[in-house]
Amino acid sequence: MNIKKSAIIFNGFLHDFAAGIWLAAMVTIVLLHNAHVAHPEVVALLNSLERLFFWWSVGAMVTIMATGAGRTFTYVENWYGPDAERVRRKMLITKHVILAVVFAAGYFFVWSKTFH
């Protein structure tokens, strides 16, 4: 396998991995926030962890966007045939619109938990 194909595969892996990190960071922020509400004696420690996970999620989001842009340039047209590709493109556009809303809602939700 040549280096270009390896880079394309690595880019896709990194894109998916960063998406997993983003989601895990969001869940962790919520769990940490719930823990520090229940145990006020550890607020200082948990607040710093919430902020750490928040900034990790921002790094993951930047990685998602950068590698997603990379995927745009390595897209193979008509891989599944013209009819299937039309459906695939519509589904990809729909997925990305939904994910943009999910990302925005996720940050809206955790912002007040992280920076209160």
Side-chain angles (χ1 to χ4, degrees):
M1 184 177 332
N2 69 29
I3 196 156
K4 183 179 177 184
K5 288 182 182 178
S6 296
I8 291 168
I9 292 168
F10 180 72
N11 183 71
F13 169 79
L14 195 57
H15 182 78
D16 295 341
F17 189 70
I21 289 172
W22 182 86
L23 182 58
M26 294 289 114
V27 170
T28 302
I29 290 167
V30 171
L31 294 174
L32 287 171
H33 185 76
N34 291 342
H36 92 75
V37 168
H39 304 283
E41 65 276 7
V42 293
V43 166
L45 173 65
L46 295 182
N47 278 345
S48 64
L49 286 173
E50 285 175 8
R51 287 180 178 87
L52 177 68
F53 278 97
F54 179 85
W55 292 114
W56 281 0
S57 78
V58 170
M61 177 58 65
V62 168
T63 302
I64 292 165
M65 289 181 180
T67 55
R71 279 183 159 182
T72 301
F73 297 110
T74 60
Y75 182 78
V76 177
E77 291 201 35
N78 294 322
W79 180 264
Y80 300 103
D83 292 335
E85 281 301 320
R86 277 192 288 281
V87 173
R88 183 172 180 252
R89 281 182 187 228
K90 287 178 185 176
M91 291 176 75
L92 280 171
I93 291 168
T94 303
K95 175 187 89 167
H96 284 93
V97 168
I98 291 168
L99 287 176
V101 170
V102 168
F103 286 139
Y107 278 119
F108 181 77
F109 183 68
V110 300
W111 180 266
S112 63
K113 295 182 180 319
T114 304
F115 301 102
H116 46 85

